[in-house]
Amino acid sequence: MTRNSVAEHTSIHGLWATRSIFILAATGSAIGLGSIWKFPYITGMHGGGAFVLVYLACVLLVGVPVMMAEILMGRRGRASPVNAMQKLVQESAVSRRWVLIGWLGTVAAFLILSFYAMIAGWALDYTVLSAQGAFDGISAAGTLAAFAELKLSPYTMLLWHSVFMVMTIYVVARGVQNGLARAVRWLMPLLFLLLFVLLGYAFTTGHFMQGVHFLFDVDFSQFGRDTFLVALGQVFFTLSLGMASMMAYGAYMPQQQSIAQSAVIIVMLDTIFSLIAGLMIFPIVFSWGLEPAQGPGLMFVTLPLAFGNLPFGVLFGTLFFALVVVAAWLSAIALAEPFVAWAVEKGMRRPTAAALVGVASWALGIFSILSFNTLSGDEFRIYGKTFYEAIDFLSSNILLPIGGILIAVFVGWTMKETKVMKELAIKNQVLYIAWRIAIRVVAPLAILAVFLDFFGVFGA
Ligand code: PHE
């Protein structure tokens, strides 16, 4: 068979029609709640510039190499992560146990989807509330009360959780060409447009430079072990690594496209987006004399307050939450795809598979919703965590790092190097060796450090 033969270089789900569609889809997966909601709040909690510097180092040393490894595995396997792993295992004649990588990622993505839809649902609710002018002229006590009220309203949460899940499943059911690619083609330009409009708005708040200093002035006294560990965890989440999504999307990537170049572009776009999200949020926070170290409430508590009291806040507040919804939508599609693709390969029709995965994840998400109200009591806790906290912890802090280490070890040490080199096709020897060292040594050790830290191995 020739190198370009269709049989070898396609998947039963089809391929992304062009190189740029693959890049847009993978970037759409990466940019999500992780960039807009999480990055600013953890940067705020870790002192700004020092954290950003460590974060950028982790992006470069671990994010880029692991992203390349995942895309490479997907494209070589040309199937859902589970079946791609079957193929890679046969090809390199190694233990079938490695297929576990595919399952770990697929299950982690499925679990994350269940609560990701809930949080995206909050953003949907806030989009509508903003548009209705509910935050117009609101006080600090008012936004706190509004957020608390939402968490105590299971039916409101359920409504938006359901709406968001239907949006996600609708796209996934339509397949790679008519669903995923089309959504990406329309929504990615919209996403960047919204971002720049909001950035322009942040300029007008008069505190823009304060935001710039907060993000980019490195205060060495803020460095700590914690800074590094939190930064690496964020790199994995925001770049959609360790969760099979990049593998699934890589399976549909055109054969001629450069993996290294694509990975660098995707990572750069996600990083720029996160930084701009910070540049947009912090000036607003400072213009109100608010605390940057708010924690997870930063987006839902302080921003309505800020928008509610700035000129044209109704319009821009609505645009802001719409931006969050769009970004989360494209990420949620990527979270559902690994499982759906696997079911389709098992012989199921795509719409049926998408509906089943969607309903199962939706149902699981109901427990996360109830864990803020009906089921918040001690008797419903798992090791002191509510259901939502436990699922988040299991997927983000346990499955994700295990998946990350296994991926790095598999590509770095287990897969036949000739196959790896053929797929990567990097001409520059120095770059190839740098990648090889990163994937064999730097990435596994760095992830291991993060993982062990969660179990207090390094002390409190
Ligand atoms: N990267 C997404 C975000 O930052 C989350 C995500 C993880 C999406 C894994 C797909 C797969 O919100």
PDB file of all heavy atoms in Angstrom, residues 298-331:
ATOM      1  N   LEU A 298     -14.362  33.664  41.426  1.00  0.00           N
ATOM      2  CA  LEU A 298     -13.921  34.865  40.702  1.00  0.00           C
ATOM      3  C   LEU A 298     -14.852  35.227  39.552  1.00  0.00           C
ATOM      4  O   LEU A 298     -15.304  36.353  39.425  1.00  0.00           O
ATOM      5  CB  LEU A 298     -12.492  34.663  40.178  1.00  0.00           C
ATOM      6  CG  LEU A 298     -11.837  35.908  39.538  1.00  0.00           C
ATOM      7  CD1 LEU A 298     -11.590  36.991  40.570  1.00  0.00           C
ATOM      8  CD2 LEU A 298     -10.515  35.562  38.865  1.00  0.00           C
ATOM      9  N   MET A 299     -15.142  34.217  38.717  1.00  0.00           N
ATOM     10  CA  MET A 299     -15.934  34.500  37.532  1.00  0.00           C
ATOM     11  C   MET A 299     -17.410  34.749  37.861  1.00  0.00           C
ATOM     12  O   MET A 299     -18.018  35.668  37.331  1.00  0.00           O
ATOM     13  CB  MET A 299     -15.803  33.324  36.573  1.00  0.00           C
ATOM     14  CG  MET A 299     -16.429  33.559  35.251  1.00  0.00           C
ATOM     15  SD  MET A 299     -15.912  32.269  34.116  1.00  0.00           S
ATOM     16  CE  MET A 299     -17.330  31.219  34.156  1.00  0.00           C
ATOM     17  N   PHE A 300     -17.981  33.929  38.736  1.00  0.00           N
ATOM     18  CA  PHE A 300     -19.426  33.997  38.951  1.00  0.00           C
ATOM     19  C   PHE A 300     -19.841  35.026  40.001  1.00  0.00           C
ATOM     20  O   PHE A 300     -20.995  35.419  40.061  1.00  0.00           O
ATOM     21  CB  PHE A 300     -19.981  32.619  39.329  1.00  0.00           C
ATOM     22  CG  PHE A 300     -19.914  31.641  38.190  1.00  0.00           C
ATOM     23  CD1 PHE A 300     -18.933  30.658  38.144  1.00  0.00           C
ATOM     24  CD2 PHE A 300     -20.820  31.725  37.144  1.00  0.00           C
ATOM     25  CE1 PHE A 300     -18.865  29.773  37.080  1.00  0.00           C
ATOM     26  CE2 PHE A 300     -20.761  30.844  36.075  1.00  0.00           C
ATOM     27  CZ  PHE A 300     -19.787  29.868  36.048  1.00  0.00           C
ATOM     28  N   VAL A 301     -18.906  35.414  40.856  1.00  0.00           N
ATOM     29  CA  VAL A 301     -19.285  36.371  41.888  1.00  0.00           C
ATOM     30  C   VAL A 301     -18.786  37.776  41.577  1.00  0.00           C
ATOM     31  O   VAL A 301     -19.542  38.744  41.618  1.00  0.00           O
ATOM     32  CB  VAL A 301     -18.777  35.921  43.280  1.00  0.00           C
ATOM     33  CG1 VAL A 301     -19.061  36.994  44.309  1.00  0.00           C
ATOM     34  CG2 VAL A 301     -19.444  34.616  43.681  1.00  0.00           C
ATOM     35  N   THR A 302     -17.504  37.888  41.218  1.00  0.00           N
ATOM     36  CA  THR A 302     -16.982  39.243  41.042  1.00  0.00           C
ATOM     37  C   THR A 302     -17.322  39.847  39.690  1.00  0.00           C
ATOM     38  O   THR A 302     -17.547  41.043  39.586  1.00  0.00           O
ATOM     39  CB  THR A 302     -15.449  39.285  41.222  1.00  0.00           C
ATOM     40  OG1 THR A 302     -14.857  38.509  40.190  1.00  0.00           O
ATOM     41  CG2 THR A 302     -15.039  38.760  42.563  1.00  0.00           C
ATOM     42  N   LEU A 303     -17.365  39.024  38.645  1.00  0.00           N
ATOM     43  CA  LEU A 303     -17.597  39.626  37.333  1.00  0.00           C
ATOM     44  C   LEU A 303     -18.992  40.213  37.152  1.00  0.00           C
ATOM     45  O   LEU A 303     -19.132  41.309  36.607  1.00  0.00           O
ATOM     46  CB  LEU A 303     -17.235  38.657  36.215  1.00  0.00           C
ATOM     47  CG  LEU A 303     -15.710  38.483  36.064  1.00  0.00           C
ATOM     48  CD1 LEU A 303     -15.385  37.638  34.865  1.00  0.00           C
ATOM     49  CD2 LEU A 303     -14.994  39.818  35.975  1.00  0.00           C
ATOM     50  N   PRO A 304     -20.055  39.533  37.637  1.00  0.00           N
ATOM     51  CA  PRO A 304     -21.372  40.175  37.521  1.00  0.00           C
ATOM     52  C   PRO A 304     -21.402  41.504  38.279  1.00  0.00           C
ATOM     53  O   PRO A 304     -22.014  42.477  37.834  1.00  0.00           O
ATOM     54  CB  PRO A 304     -22.320  39.165  38.164  1.00  0.00           C
ATOM     55  CG  PRO A 304     -21.632  37.863  38.029  1.00  0.00           C
ATOM     56  CD  PRO A 304     -20.166  38.156  38.150  1.00  0.00           C
ATOM     57  N   LEU A 305     -20.700  41.541  39.403  1.00  0.00           N
ATOM     58  CA  LEU A 305     -20.639  42.773  40.189  1.00  0.00           C
ATOM     59  C   LEU A 305     -19.959  43.869  39.381  1.00  0.00           C
ATOM     60  O   LEU A 305     -20.454  45.001  39.273  1.00  0.00           O
ATOM     61  CB  LEU A 305     -19.850  42.506  41.478  1.00  0.00           C
ATOM     62  CG  LEU A 305     -19.515  43.708  42.347  1.00  0.00           C
ATOM     63  CD1 LEU A 305     -20.790  44.333  42.905  1.00  0.00           C
ATOM     64  CD2 LEU A 305     -18.600  43.303  43.495  1.00  0.00           C
ATOM     65  N   ALA A 306     -18.815  43.494  38.767  1.00  0.00           N
ATOM     66  CA  ALA A 306     -18.078  44.476  37.983  1.00  0.00           C
ATOM     67  C   ALA A 306     -18.890  44.927  36.767  1.00  0.00           C
ATOM     68  O   ALA A 306     -19.088  46.132  36.553  1.00  0.00           O
ATOM     69  CB  ALA A 306     -16.748  43.880  37.542  1.00  0.00           C
ATOM     70  N   PHE A 307     -19.372  43.966  36.001  1.00  0.00           N
ATOM     71  CA  PHE A 307     -20.133  44.322  34.803  1.00  0.00           C
ATOM     72  C   PHE A 307     -21.394  45.097  35.161  1.00  0.00           C
ATOM     73  O   PHE A 307     -21.799  46.016  34.454  1.00  0.00           O
ATOM     74  CB  PHE A 307     -20.533  43.066  34.013  1.00  0.00           C
ATOM     75  CG  PHE A 307     -19.415  42.484  33.190  1.00  0.00           C
ATOM     76  CD1 PHE A 307     -19.005  41.169  33.367  1.00  0.00           C
ATOM     77  CD2 PHE A 307     -18.783  43.255  32.218  1.00  0.00           C
ATOM     78  CE1 PHE A 307     -17.986  40.624  32.594  1.00  0.00           C
ATOM     79  CE2 PHE A 307     -17.765  42.722  31.440  1.00  0.00           C
ATOM     80  CZ  PHE A 307     -17.367  41.404  31.633  1.00  0.00           C
ATOM     81  N   GLY A 308     -22.025  44.692  36.275  1.00  0.00           N
ATOM     82  CA  GLY A 308     -23.290  45.319  36.673  1.00  0.00           C
ATOM     83  C   GLY A 308     -23.158  46.792  37.003  1.00  0.00           C
ATOM     84  O   GLY A 308     -24.146  47.508  37.096  1.00  0.00           O
ATOM     85  N   ASN A 309     -21.902  47.223  37.211  1.00  0.00           N
ATOM     86  CA  ASN A 309     -21.696  48.604  37.623  1.00  0.00           C
ATOM     87  C   ASN A 309     -20.779  49.395  36.709  1.00  0.00           C
ATOM     88  O   ASN A 309     -20.326  50.470  37.060  1.00  0.00           O
ATOM     89  CB  ASN A 309     -21.152  48.629  39.059  1.00  0.00           C
ATOM     90  CG  ASN A 309     -22.192  48.130  40.041  1.00  0.00           C
ATOM     91  OD1 ASN A 309     -23.085  48.867  40.439  1.00  0.00           O
ATOM     92  ND2 ASN A 309     -22.120  46.857  40.402  1.00  0.00           N
ATOM     93  N   LEU A 310     -20.472  48.830  35.548  1.00  0.00           N
ATOM     94  CA  LEU A 310     -19.659  49.552  34.578  1.00  0.00           C
ATOM     95  C   LEU A 310     -20.559  49.968  33.409  1.00  0.00           C
ATOM     96  O   LEU A 310     -21.569  49.327  33.154  1.00  0.00           O
ATOM     97  CB  LEU A 310     -18.526  48.642  34.066  1.00  0.00           C
ATOM     98  CG  LEU A 310     -17.372  48.391  35.046  1.00  0.00           C
ATOM     99  CD1 LEU A 310     -16.506  47.233  34.582  1.00  0.00           C
ATOM    100  CD2 LEU A 310     -16.527  49.653  35.224  1.00  0.00           C
ATOM    101  N   PRO A 311     -20.150  51.007  32.694  1.00  0.00           N
ATOM    102  CA  PRO A 311     -20.959  51.424  31.540  1.00  0.00           C
ATOM    103  C   PRO A 311     -21.085  50.278  30.525  1.00  0.00           C
ATOM    104  O   PRO A 311     -20.117  49.555  30.298  1.00  0.00           O
ATOM    105  CB  PRO A 311     -20.154  52.583  30.932  1.00  0.00           C
ATOM    106  CG  PRO A 311     -19.131  52.962  31.936  1.00  0.00           C
ATOM    107  CD  PRO A 311     -18.983  51.864  32.908  1.00  0.00           C
ATOM    108  N   PHE A 312     -22.234  50.123  29.966  1.00  0.00           N
ATOM    109  CA  PHE A 312     -22.539  49.062  28.988  1.00  0.00           C
ATOM    110  C   PHE A 312     -22.315  47.657  29.560  1.00  0.00           C
ATOM    111  O   PHE A 312     -22.065  46.707  28.834  1.00  0.00           O
ATOM    112  CB  PHE A 312     -21.704  49.224  27.711  1.00  0.00           C
ATOM    113  CG  PHE A 312     -21.848  50.562  27.072  1.00  0.00           C
ATOM    114  CD1 PHE A 312     -20.829  51.505  27.131  1.00  0.00           C
ATOM    115  CD2 PHE A 312     -23.048  50.903  26.447  1.00  0.00           C
ATOM    116  CE1 PHE A 312     -20.985  52.751  26.563  1.00  0.00           C
ATOM    117  CE2 PHE A 312     -23.198  52.160  25.870  1.00  0.00           C
ATOM    118  CZ  PHE A 312     -22.164  53.084  25.934  1.00  0.00           C
ATOM    119  N   GLY A 313     -22.382  47.553  30.879  1.00  0.00           N
ATOM    120  CA  GLY A 313     -22.120  46.265  31.537  1.00  0.00           C
ATOM    121  C   GLY A 313     -23.115  45.183  31.152  1.00  0.00           C
ATOM    122  O   GLY A 313     -22.762  44.007  31.109  1.00  0.00           O
ATOM    123  N   VAL A 314     -24.354  45.556  30.874  1.00  0.00           N
ATOM    124  CA  VAL A 314     -25.344  44.540  30.515  1.00  0.00           C
ATOM    125  C   VAL A 314     -24.915  43.864  29.217  1.00  0.00           C
ATOM    126  O   VAL A 314     -24.851  42.634  29.114  1.00  0.00           O
ATOM    127  CB  VAL A 314     -26.760  45.151  30.369  1.00  0.00           C
ATOM    128  CG1 VAL A 314     -27.727  44.127  29.786  1.00  0.00           C
ATOM    129  CG2 VAL A 314     -27.255  45.635  31.728  1.00  0.00           C
ATOM    130  N   LEU A 315     -24.553  44.680  28.238  1.00  0.00           N
ATOM    131  CA  LEU A 315     -24.117  44.149  26.946  1.00  0.00           C
ATOM    132  C   LEU A 315     -22.854  43.311  27.096  1.00  0.00           C
ATOM    133  O   LEU A 315     -22.787  42.156  26.672  1.00  0.00           O
ATOM    134  CB  LEU A 315     -23.856  45.303  25.971  1.00  0.00           C
ATOM    135  CG  LEU A 315     -23.236  44.883  24.645  1.00  0.00           C
ATOM    136  CD1 LEU A 315     -24.198  44.013  23.850  1.00  0.00           C
ATOM    137  CD2 LEU A 315     -22.815  46.111  23.832  1.00  0.00           C
ATOM    138  N   PHE A 316     -21.827  43.895  27.755  1.00  0.00           N
ATOM    139  CA  PHE A 316     -20.548  43.193  27.805  1.00  0.00           C
ATOM    140  C   PHE A 316     -20.572  42.011  28.764  1.00  0.00           C
ATOM    141  O   PHE A 316     -19.898  41.002  28.544  1.00  0.00           O
ATOM    142  CB  PHE A 316     -19.417  44.175  28.118  1.00  0.00           C
ATOM    143  CG  PHE A 316     -19.120  45.061  26.946  1.00  0.00           C
ATOM    144  CD1 PHE A 316     -19.604  46.363  26.894  1.00  0.00           C
ATOM    145  CD2 PHE A 316     -18.418  44.575  25.857  1.00  0.00           C
ATOM    146  CE1 PHE A 316     -19.364  47.168  25.791  1.00  0.00           C
ATOM    147  CE2 PHE A 316     -18.168  45.367  24.745  1.00  0.00           C
ATOM    148  CZ  PHE A 316     -18.647  46.662  24.705  1.00  0.00           C
ATOM    149  N   GLY A 317     -21.361  42.096  29.807  1.00  0.00           N
ATOM    150  CA  GLY A 317     -21.519  40.958  30.713  1.00  0.00           C
ATOM    151  C   GLY A 317     -22.162  39.788  29.977  1.00  0.00           C
ATOM    152  O   GLY A 317     -21.742  38.635  30.110  1.00  0.00           O
ATOM    153  N   THR A 318     -23.173  40.091  29.186  1.00  0.00           N
ATOM    154  CA  THR A 318     -23.837  39.046  28.404  1.00  0.00           C
ATOM    155  C   THR A 318     -22.846  38.421  27.422  1.00  0.00           C
ATOM    156  O   THR A 318     -22.749  37.198  27.299  1.00  0.00           O
ATOM    157  CB  THR A 318     -25.036  39.625  27.620  1.00  0.00           C
ATOM    158  OG1 THR A 318     -25.869  40.335  28.538  1.00  0.00           O
ATOM    159  CG2 THR A 318     -25.837  38.528  26.953  1.00  0.00           C
ATOM    160  N   LEU A 319     -22.080  39.278  26.737  1.00  0.00           N
ATOM    161  CA  LEU A 319     -21.074  38.772  25.793  1.00  0.00           C
ATOM    162  C   LEU A 319     -20.048  37.897  26.511  1.00  0.00           C
ATOM    163  O   LEU A 319     -19.632  36.854  26.007  1.00  0.00           O
ATOM    164  CB  LEU A 319     -20.354  39.933  25.095  1.00  0.00           C
ATOM    165  CG  LEU A 319     -21.156  40.694  24.050  1.00  0.00           C
ATOM    166  CD1 LEU A 319     -20.319  41.823  23.455  1.00  0.00           C
ATOM    167  CD2 LEU A 319     -21.635  39.754  22.944  1.00  0.00           C
ATOM    168  N   PHE A 320     -19.650  38.322  27.707  1.00  0.00           N
ATOM    169  CA  PHE A 320     -18.649  37.553  28.432  1.00  0.00           C
ATOM    170  C   PHE A 320     -19.144  36.140  28.720  1.00  0.00           C
ATOM    171  O   PHE A 320     -18.466  35.150  28.457  1.00  0.00           O
ATOM    172  CB  PHE A 320     -18.256  38.239  29.753  1.00  0.00           C
ATOM    173  CG  PHE A 320     -17.301  37.394  30.549  1.00  0.00           C
ATOM    174  CD1 PHE A 320     -15.944  37.426  30.270  1.00  0.00           C
ATOM    175  CD2 PHE A 320     -17.764  36.519  31.523  1.00  0.00           C
ATOM    176  CE1 PHE A 320     -15.065  36.606  30.953  1.00  0.00           C
ATOM    177  CE2 PHE A 320     -16.888  35.695  32.209  1.00  0.00           C
ATOM    178  CZ  PHE A 320     -15.535  35.750  31.928  1.00  0.00           C
ATOM    179  N   PHE A 321     -20.346  36.019  29.272  1.00  0.00           N
ATOM    180  CA  PHE A 321     -20.822  34.677  29.619  1.00  0.00           C
ATOM    181  C   PHE A 321     -21.133  33.858  28.366  1.00  0.00           C
ATOM    182  O   PHE A 321     -20.995  32.628  28.367  1.00  0.00           O
ATOM    183  CB  PHE A 321     -21.991  34.757  30.603  1.00  0.00           C
ATOM    184  CG  PHE A 321     -21.521  35.097  31.989  1.00  0.00           C
ATOM    185  CD1 PHE A 321     -21.723  36.365  32.536  1.00  0.00           C
ATOM    186  CD2 PHE A 321     -20.800  34.177  32.735  1.00  0.00           C
ATOM    187  CE1 PHE A 321     -21.243  36.681  33.800  1.00  0.00           C
ATOM    188  CE2 PHE A 321     -20.320  34.484  34.003  1.00  0.00           C
ATOM    189  CZ  PHE A 321     -20.531  35.746  34.532  1.00  0.00           C
ATOM    190  N   ALA A 322     -21.517  34.540  27.278  1.00  0.00           N
ATOM    191  CA  ALA A 322     -21.708  33.819  26.019  1.00  0.00           C
ATOM    192  C   ALA A 322     -20.371  33.240  25.540  1.00  0.00           C
ATOM    193  O   ALA A 322     -20.298  32.118  25.034  1.00  0.00           O
ATOM    194  CB  ALA A 322     -22.294  34.748  24.955  1.00  0.00           C
ATOM    195  N   LEU A 323     -19.316  34.011  25.735  1.00  0.00           N
ATOM    196  CA  LEU A 323     -17.973  33.540  25.385  1.00  0.00           C
ATOM    197  C   LEU A 323     -17.624  32.268  26.159  1.00  0.00           C
ATOM    198  O   LEU A 323     -17.111  31.293  25.600  1.00  0.00           O
ATOM    199  CB  LEU A 323     -16.955  34.644  25.711  1.00  0.00           C
ATOM    200  CG  LEU A 323     -15.473  34.281  25.639  1.00  0.00           C
ATOM    201  CD1 LEU A 323     -14.966  34.464  24.225  1.00  0.00           C
ATOM    202  CD2 LEU A 323     -14.647  35.147  26.586  1.00  0.00           C
ATOM    203  N   VAL A 324     -17.941  32.280  27.442  1.00  0.00           N
ATOM    204  CA  VAL A 324     -17.659  31.102  28.268  1.00  0.00           C
ATOM    205  C   VAL A 324     -18.442  29.894  27.748  1.00  0.00           C
ATOM    206  O   VAL A 324     -17.904  28.781  27.636  1.00  0.00           O
ATOM    207  CB  VAL A 324     -18.023  31.374  29.748  1.00  0.00           C
ATOM    208  CG1 VAL A 324     -17.800  30.126  30.584  1.00  0.00           C
ATOM    209  CG2 VAL A 324     -17.210  32.538  30.282  1.00  0.00           C
ATOM    210  N   VAL A 325     -19.712  30.119  27.395  1.00  0.00           N
ATOM    211  CA  VAL A 325     -20.548  29.013  26.918  1.00  0.00           C
ATOM    212  C   VAL A 325     -19.987  28.429  25.618  1.00  0.00           C
ATOM    213  O   VAL A 325     -19.853  27.209  25.479  1.00  0.00           O
ATOM    214  CB  VAL A 325     -22.012  29.471  26.703  1.00  0.00           C
ATOM    215  CG1 VAL A 325     -22.814  28.387  25.995  1.00  0.00           C
ATOM    216  CG2 VAL A 325     -22.657  29.823  28.037  1.00  0.00           C
ATOM    217  N   VAL A 326     -19.625  29.290  24.687  1.00  0.00           N
ATOM    218  CA  VAL A 326     -19.112  28.813  23.400  1.00  0.00           C
ATOM    219  C   VAL A 326     -17.819  28.012  23.604  1.00  0.00           C
ATOM    220  O   VAL A 326     -17.639  26.919  23.059  1.00  0.00           O
ATOM    221  CB  VAL A 326     -18.867  29.998  22.433  1.00  0.00           C
ATOM    222  CG1 VAL A 326     -18.120  29.533  21.192  1.00  0.00           C
ATOM    223  CG2 VAL A 326     -20.184  30.636  22.043  1.00  0.00           C
ATOM    224  N   ALA A 327     -16.924  28.555  24.408  1.00  0.00           N
ATOM    225  CA  ALA A 327     -15.651  27.870  24.661  1.00  0.00           C
ATOM    226  C   ALA A 327     -15.897  26.512  25.318  1.00  0.00           C
ATOM    227  O   ALA A 327     -15.281  25.506  24.948  1.00  0.00           O
ATOM    228  CB  ALA A 327     -14.756  28.739  25.543  1.00  0.00           C
ATOM    229  N   ALA A 328     -16.807  26.483  26.282  1.00  0.00           N
ATOM    230  CA  ALA A 328     -17.095  25.228  26.988  1.00  0.00           C
ATOM    231  C   ALA A 328     -17.764  24.223  26.047  1.00  0.00           C
ATOM    232  O   ALA A 328     -17.531  23.014  26.139  1.00  0.00           O
ATOM    233  CB  ALA A 328     -17.993  25.504  28.197  1.00  0.00           C
ATOM    234  N   TRP A 329     -18.576  24.717  25.155  1.00  0.00           N
ATOM    235  CA  TRP A 329     -19.290  23.845  24.201  1.00  0.00           C
ATOM    236  C   TRP A 329     -18.287  23.046  23.355  1.00  0.00           C
ATOM    237  O   TRP A 329     -18.381  21.821  23.232  1.00  0.00           O
ATOM    238  CB  TRP A 329     -20.167  24.731  23.317  1.00  0.00           C
ATOM    239  CG  TRP A 329     -21.196  24.033  22.491  1.00  0.00           C
ATOM    240  CD1 TRP A 329     -21.554  22.707  22.551  1.00  0.00           C
ATOM    241  CD2 TRP A 329     -22.018  24.641  21.485  1.00  0.00           C
ATOM    242  NE1 TRP A 329     -22.543  22.461  21.642  1.00  0.00           N
ATOM    243  CE2 TRP A 329     -22.847  23.612  20.971  1.00  0.00           C
ATOM    244  CE3 TRP A 329     -22.138  25.933  20.974  1.00  0.00           C
ATOM    245  CZ2 TRP A 329     -23.784  23.871  19.957  1.00  0.00           C
ATOM    246  CZ3 TRP A 329     -23.070  26.179  19.972  1.00  0.00           C
ATOM    247  CH2 TRP A 329     -23.880  25.153  19.479  1.00  0.00           C
ATOM    248  N   LEU A 330     -17.312  23.758  22.774  1.00  0.00           N
ATOM    249  CA  LEU A 330     -16.338  23.077  21.927  1.00  0.00           C
ATOM    250  C   LEU A 330     -15.476  22.100  22.728  1.00  0.00           C
ATOM    251  O   LEU A 330     -15.011  21.095  22.192  1.00  0.00           O
ATOM    252  CB  LEU A 330     -15.454  24.107  21.204  1.00  0.00           C
ATOM    253  CG  LEU A 330     -16.199  24.967  20.174  1.00  0.00           C
ATOM    254  CD1 LEU A 330     -15.303  26.054  19.624  1.00  0.00           C
ATOM    255  CD2 LEU A 330     -16.729  24.097  19.039  1.00  0.00           C
ATOM    256  N   SER A 331     -15.264  22.387  24.007  1.00  0.00           N
ATOM    257  CA  SER A 331     -14.503  21.453  24.844  1.00  0.00           C
ATOM    258  C   SER A 331     -15.352  20.223  25.170  1.00  0.00           C
ATOM    259  O   SER A 331     -14.855  19.092  25.170  1.00  0.00           O
ATOM    260  CB  SER A 331     -14.077  22.116  26.154  1.00  0.00           C
ATOM    261  OG  SER A 331     -13.200  23.181  25.895  1.00  0.00           O
TER     262      SER A 331
END
